[in-house]
């Protein structure tokens, strides 16, 4: 590149060179595509034997070779087995020995020759056949030379000999892949079969299995081939599972025999977790469960039956607590996490076992078998449940609180509340003690709801850093999720704690209230205490929990008032009037304590009060008026102006009910009290906003009176109502015309016309009766003719228009 050229000339040359390079690159790419097509194009299909083109091959030559070799070896093995089992007796001892020895020797020797000639697959097939023949040789030897030998003992010795022989054969011919895995598989039998042959029980056989598993695990740690490692791992998994199940069964029936066996399973599981890193968490969980069973089994056997679950729970919690401070490099983080999960799972199962008394204490009072205020007390549900269930819940609460994590503290609060709710059931407490415990549970839970940040007090704001050995985590998606769980912890669940505390407190208070219905004094005492608790929570709390507590306090106050009415023997309608004190008190307190939940609950209580007074209309009218007063007082607050509409509706309802009680049937008595205020409101609204239409300002008020009046006019034969309604409609029409308002003009005019039609109707009827019979059909015919002529004219005009348009085109 000549850099002495002018910039313009140099730029032109660079562009020309780049263009040439792009063209050459496109040419080379096209050539490359063609060459790839030539190299990888499918070979020409051979011609079919009878013409046409043969179908493409469906398997590779190597696949066909392997299938043929496998089938051949299998058929030879079957033939040898048939010879051994069926044709054995037709030959003498020398002939039989010579045949088996010759065939086995040939099958075992042939692979060496075949491997030197490069026939590895054929050598593999004949080698596998030779291994099968050695098994048949062992069987033949037992039948001929050692017929009296015990079958299990002989099988143990034969499997040991075969395992050694196959391992040596595989060492001599390392290119064969079958002998060494087969030797590993055969090595699984000598010790278990030998223990069974020696008369050992399940424990002895299980120990023999464990020793075999230990050998498999040692083999996993050696640099053996993949088939050998897979065989050893699979064998260890199968035999180890059998030993673990046997140890678990013995732990329940013979604890002192099963405990050492389970400890051995736990030790081998931990060793396997180090040898097989991807499965380390699962193996650690298995090892932890085995350790818990080993320790808890003998302890459970030494204690009464009701202590079984607490013993396992304590052992599980101990395992979950002991692994945490261990930071030694020889225990990887996944193994520690697996041990913690195992211990936590055992403890969780214990907590699940202890939950039925909690449900019994919470929901038991709802299943009433005695009358309200009868003084009789039903037996507590789930009587006879082990009292140690409460201990399990208490242990779980202490352990959860000791974790030093916010979620642990939350769990401790839940389990502590569950402990209190279970006490009346498992300890079969007296009636008064059961009420007291439930109220204590409610008080504690509401205290937590009010001070939701207290459980997280003293805890670090963020999670601690992950341990140094975190990179040695399990592989795959599970390992990624585990690392994320170790590296970070959720923030303090303050909102969840607050709502959990409120829900638990409300549930405990409701359970106490249901139980208190057995006695009158207990009902008032529990209601008073519950009201105090919820009121305190409403005053001291904050946020949504504060509003919920205020609503609950209003609900409890309503129950207290209702109980007072029932104790005084008041009728339901009178009790409804008394119940209106609750919404009145709520509205009065709302000026100082603003709570939408409390006001909504008060409104719901007021609705119930009105429903109670429905059977007595006179009392209902009074209740509606009192409710209207409460709504009007609420509407005085600037943020509750909308309550004025409710107050107006309640006052109107009270007036209507009172009129009905007095027997007033004149519709105007019901409509005019609505019309006058509605028109006044419309006038005031038009003054503030002249743009408001007359339909929105005056339409509702005029319609409320005019429409019912028209209905009454058409069913009233007297002349007074039509005269008054017509005069009123005339006045409305004139006012509409005077002020040019559409709604009064239209509504008044329509009403005036309808009243006039009503007055003219009798004369029309008389006139129709005086006309001849033929006049109505004749009038109908003339009408139809006029309509038909008009229709025909419209069609003619349409056709003429179409023709003109066509000429224009």
């Amino acid at each position: 590149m000549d850099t002495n050229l002018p910039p313009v000339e140099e730029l032109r040359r660079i562009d020309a060179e780049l263009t040439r390079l792009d063209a050459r690159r496109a040419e080379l790419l096209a050539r490359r595509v063609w060459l790839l097509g030539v190299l990888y194009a499918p070979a020409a299909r051979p011609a079919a034997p009878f013409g046409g083109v043969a179908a493409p091959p469906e398997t590779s030559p190597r696949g066909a070779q392997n299938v043929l070799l496998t089938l051949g070896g299998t058929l030879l093995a079957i033939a040898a087995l048939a010879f051994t089992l069926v044709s054995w007796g037709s030959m003498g001892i020398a002939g039989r020995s010579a045949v088996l020895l010759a065939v086995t020797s040939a099958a075992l020797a042939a692979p060496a020759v075949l491997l030197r000639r490069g026939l590895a697959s054929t050598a593999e097939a004949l080698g596998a056949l030779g291994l099968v023949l050695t098994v048949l040789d062992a069987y033949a030897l037992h039948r001929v030379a050692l017929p009296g030998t015990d079958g299990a003992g002989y099988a143990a010795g034969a499997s040991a000999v075969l395992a050694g022989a196959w391992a040596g054969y595989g060492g001599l011919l390392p290119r064969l892949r079958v002998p060494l895995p087969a030797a590993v598989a055969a090595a699984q039998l000598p010790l278990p079969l030998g223990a069974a042959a020696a008369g050992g029980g399940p424990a002895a056989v299980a120990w023999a299995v464990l020793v075999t598993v230990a050998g498999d695990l040692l083999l996993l740690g050696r640099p053996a081939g993949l088939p050998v490692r897979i065989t050893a791992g699979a064998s260890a998994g199968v035999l180890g599972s059998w030993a673990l199940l046997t140890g678990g069964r013995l732990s329940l029936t013979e604890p002192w025999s099963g405990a050492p066996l389970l400890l051995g399973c736990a030790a081998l599981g931990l060793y396997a977790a180090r040898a097989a890193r991807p499965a380390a968490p699962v193996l650690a969980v298995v090892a932890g469960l085995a350790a818990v069973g080993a320790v808890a089994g003998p302890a459970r056997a030494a204690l009464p039956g009701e202590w079984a679950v607490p013993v396992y729970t304590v052992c599980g919690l101990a395992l979950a607590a002991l692994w945490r401070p261990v930071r030694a490099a020889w225990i990887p983080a996944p193994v520690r996490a697996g041990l913690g999960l195992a211990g936590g799972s055992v403890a969780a199962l214990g907590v699940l076992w202890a939950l039925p008394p909690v449900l019994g204490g919470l929901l038991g009072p709802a299943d009433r078998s005695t009358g309200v205020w009868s003084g009789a007390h039903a037996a507590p549900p789930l009587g006879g449940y082990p009292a140690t269930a409460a201990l399990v819940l208490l242990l779980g609460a202490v352990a959860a609180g000791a974790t030093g994590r916010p979620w642990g503290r939350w769990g401790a609060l839940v389990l502590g509340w569950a402990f209190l709710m279970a006490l009346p059931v498992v300890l079969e407490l007296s009636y008064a003690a059961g009420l007291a415990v439930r109220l204590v549970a409610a008080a504690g839970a509401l205290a937590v709801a009010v001070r939701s940040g207290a459980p997280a007090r003293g805890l670090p704001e963020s999670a601690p850093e992950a341990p140094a050995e975190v990179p040695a985590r399990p592989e795959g998606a599970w390992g990624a999720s585990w690392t994320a769980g170790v590296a970070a912890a959720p923030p303090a669940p303050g909102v969840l704690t607050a709502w959990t505390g409120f829900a638990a407190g409300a549930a405990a208070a409701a359970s106490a209230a249901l139980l208190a219905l057995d006695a009158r004094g207990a009902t008032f005492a529990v209601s008073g205490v519950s009201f105090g608790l919820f009121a305190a929570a409403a005053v001291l709390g904050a946020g949504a929990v504060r509003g919920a507590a205020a609503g609950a306090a209003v609900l409890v106050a309503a129950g207290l008032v209702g109980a007072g009415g029932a104790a005084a023997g008041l009728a339901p309608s009178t009790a409804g009037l008394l119940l209106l004190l609750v919404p009145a008190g709520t509205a009065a307190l709302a000026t100082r304590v603003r709570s939408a939940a409390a006001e909504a609950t008060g409104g719901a209580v007021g609705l119930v009060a009105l429903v109670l007074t429905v059977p007595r209309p006179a009392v209902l009218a009074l209740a509606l008026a009192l409710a209207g007063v409460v709504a009007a007082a609420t509407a005085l607050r600037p943020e509750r102006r909308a309550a004025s509409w409710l107050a107006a509706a309640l006052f109107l309802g009270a007036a209507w009910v009172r009129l009905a009680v007095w027997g007033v049937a004149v519709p105007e008595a019901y409509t005019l009290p609505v019309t006058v205020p509605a028109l006044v409101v419309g006038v005031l609204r038009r003054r503030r906003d002249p743009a408001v239409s007359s339909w929105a300002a005056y339409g509702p008020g005029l319609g409320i009176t005019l429409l019912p009046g028209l209905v009454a006019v058409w069913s009233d034969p007297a002349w007074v109502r039509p005269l008054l309604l017509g005069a009123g409609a005339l006045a409305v029409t004139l006012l509409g015309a005077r002020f040019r308002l559409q709604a009064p003009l239209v509504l008044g005019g329509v009403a005036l016309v309808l009243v006039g039609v009503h007055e003219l109707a009798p004369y029309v009827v008389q006139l129709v009766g005086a006309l001849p019979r033929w006049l109505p059909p004749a009038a109908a015919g003339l009408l139809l003719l006029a309509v038909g002529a008009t229709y025909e004219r419209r069609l003619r005009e349409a056709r003429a228009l179409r023709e003109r348009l066509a000429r224009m085109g």
Side-chain angles (χ1 to χ4, degrees):
M1 182 64 66
D2 190 358
T3 58
N4 296 321
L5 293 174
V8 175
E9 180 64 22
E10 185 179 356
L11 180 61
R12 186 187 65 78
R13 292 189 179 187
I14 289 175
D15 291 339
E17 184 69 19
L18 290 175
T19 303
R20 188 185 64 79
L21 290 175
D22 289 340
R24 180 58 178 168
R25 185 176 185 274
E27 180 183 353
L28 293 176
L29 287 175
R31 181 64 178 174
R32 181 180 184 274
V33 171
W34 182 84
L35 291 173
L36 288 175
V38 171
L39 290 176
Y40 294 101
R45 295 180 180 177
F50 302 100
V53 180
E58 297 181 352
T59 183
S60 63
R62 186 175 183 84
Q65 162 197 298
N66 292 335
V67 171
L68 293 176
L69 292 176
T70 302
L71 290 176
T74 302
L75 292 176
L76 288 176
I78 293 174
L81 181 62
F83 170 77
T84 305
L85 297 178
V86 179
S87 302
W88 185 258
S90 62
M91 301 179 64
I93 184 63
R96 288 177 286 183
S97 302
V99 169
L100 278 178
L101 181 60
V103 173
T104 303
S105 300
L108 293 177
V113 179
L114 294 172
L115 287 174
R116 285 195 297 269
R117 296 186 178 182
L119 301 176
S121 298
T122 306
E124 198 75 58
L126 289 179
L129 175 62
L131 299 183
V132 174
L133 291 176
T134 56
V135 177
L136 296 179
D137 289 340
Y139 171 76
L141 180 62
H142 179 263
R143 290 288 302 272
V144 174
L146 303 171
T149 306
D150 178 64
Y154 180 80
S159 59
V161 172
L162 289 175
W166 292 351
Y169 183 68
L172 293 176
L173 299 175
R175 294 177 60 186
L176 294 180
R177 292 174 294 179
V178 174
L180 289 180
V184 173
Q188 311 302 313
L189 301 177
L191 291 180
L193 291 178
V205 176
W207 275 110
V209 168
L210 277 187
V211 174
T212 304
V213 172
D216 293 332
L217 295 179
L218 291 176
L219 187 59
L220 281 177
R222 295 176 60 86
L226 182 60
V228 174
R229 292 171 59 84
I230 292 176
T231 306
S235 301
V238 173
L239 294 181
S241 300
W242 184 87
L244 184 63
L245 293 176
T246 302
R249 181 175 59 83
L250 290 176
S251 176
L252 298 176
T253 57
E254 303 176 16
W256 292 104
S257 298
L261 186 61
L262 289 176
L263 286 178
C265 292
L268 290 180
L270 291 177
Y271 179 82
R274 291 182 57 85
R277 291 297 179 86
V282 177
L283 293 173
V285 169
V286 174
L289 294 176
V292 170
V295 177
R300 173 193 57 80
L303 295 173
E306 60 268 18
W307 288 92
V309 176
V311 166
Y312 282 97
T313 303
V314 169
C315 292
L317 292 175
L319 179 63
L322 288 177
W323 72 272
R324 295 181 60 85
V326 178
R327 291 293 185 268
W330 55 276
I331 301 183
V335 175
R336 296 202 309 272
L339 294 177
L341 180 60
S345 300
V346 173
L349 291 175
V351 170
L352 288 177
W353 172 81
L355 286 182
V358 180
L359 297 178
L362 182 63
L363 304 177
D367 186 17
R368 300 197 57 80
S369 58
T370 59
V372 176
W373 293 354
S374 63
H377 309 301
L382 297 176
Y385 204 90
T388 52
L391 177 61
V392 171
L393 293 172
L394 183 60
L395 290 174
V398 173
T403 58
R405 299 293 178 88
W407 288 101
R409 298 286 180 87
W410 177 82
L413 295 174
V414 173
L415 292 177
W417 175 84
F419 164 74
L420 292 176
M421 295 302 297
L423 283 181
V425 175
V426 297
L427 298 183
E428 297 183 359
L429 299 178
S430 63
Y431 179 73
L435 286 175
V437 170
R438 287 175 172 84
L439 290 177
V440 169
L446 290 176
V448 172
V450 171
R451 294 290 182 265
S452 58
R457 188 172 301 165
L459 297 180
E461 296 183 0
S462 60
E465 296 295 331
E469 60 270 28
V470 164
R473 62 182 184 273
E475 299 176 358
W478 192 95
S481 62
W482 174 86
T483 302
V486 172
V495 176
L496 179 62
T497 300
W499 280 110
T500 302
F502 177 78
S511 179
L514 290 173
L515 185 61
L517 293 178
D518 289 352
R520 179 181 301 180
T523 299
F524 286 100
V526 170
S527 298
V529 173
S530 298
F531 177 77
L533 291 176
F534 284 113
V539 173
L540 300 176
V545 173
R546 178 181 184 180
V554 172
L555 194 62
V556 174
L560 194 59
V561 172
L570 300 179
S573 56
T574 308
L577 286 177
L578 184 64
L579 202 60
L580 286 175
L581 292 174
V582 175
T586 303
L589 290 176
T591 58
R592 295 186 177 182
V593 181
R594 304 296 173 86
S595 173
E599 293 183 66
T601 307
V605 173
L607 180 61
V608 173
L610 294 178
V611 172
L612 291 176
T613 61
V614 168
R616 296 181 61 185
V619 180
L620 174 60
L622 178 59
L624 288 171
L626 294 176
V629 172
V630 175
T634 303
L636 295 177
R637 293 161 49 197
E639 71 276 9
R640 292 288 185 265
R641 296 295 188 190
S644 60
W645 295 97
L646 177 60
L650 291 172
F651 283 133
L652 180 62
W656 283 356
V657 173
R658 176 52 61 185
L659 290 173
V661 171
W662 287 341
V664 176
V666 179
E668 288 78 8
Y670 295 88
T671 59
L672 288 178
V674 182
T675 299
V676 174
L679 293 178
V680 172
V681 171
V683 171
L684 296 177
R685 186 178 180 186
R686 289 268 298 181
R687 283 186 179 179
R688 290 197 306 267
D689 187 6
V692 175
S693 68
S694 62
W695 288 103
Y698 307 122
L702 294 175
I704 289 173
T705 292
L706 292 177
L707 294 180
L710 287 173
V711 174
V713 161
W714 280 87
S715 61
D716 189 357
W719 60 272
V720 178
R721 177 174 280 107
L723 178 61
L724 295 176
L725 183 60
L730 178 61
V732 169
T733 304
L734 294 176
L735 289 173
R738 168 67 179 78
F739 294 102
R740 298 180 181 179
L741 297 177
Q742 191 179 65
L745 183 62
V746 174
L747 292 177
V750 170
L752 187 60
V753 171
L754 291 177
V755 171
V757 171
H758 172 266
E759 294 303 310
L760 188 61
Y763 302 102
V764 175
V765 171
Q766 293 177 6
L767 180 61
V768 172
L771 293 176
R773 296 286 184 91
W774 54 267
L775 187 59
L782 291 175
L783 177 63
L784 292 176
L785 287 175
V787 173
T790 303
Y791 185 67
E792 182 181 8
R793 186 177 63 188
R794 296 291 184 268
L795 289 178
R796 187 172 62 251
E797 293 174 352
R799 284 195 297 270
L801 177 62
R802 185 177 59 188
E803 291 174 357
R804 285 196 299 269
L805 292 175
R807 287 195 299 270
M808 290 174 63

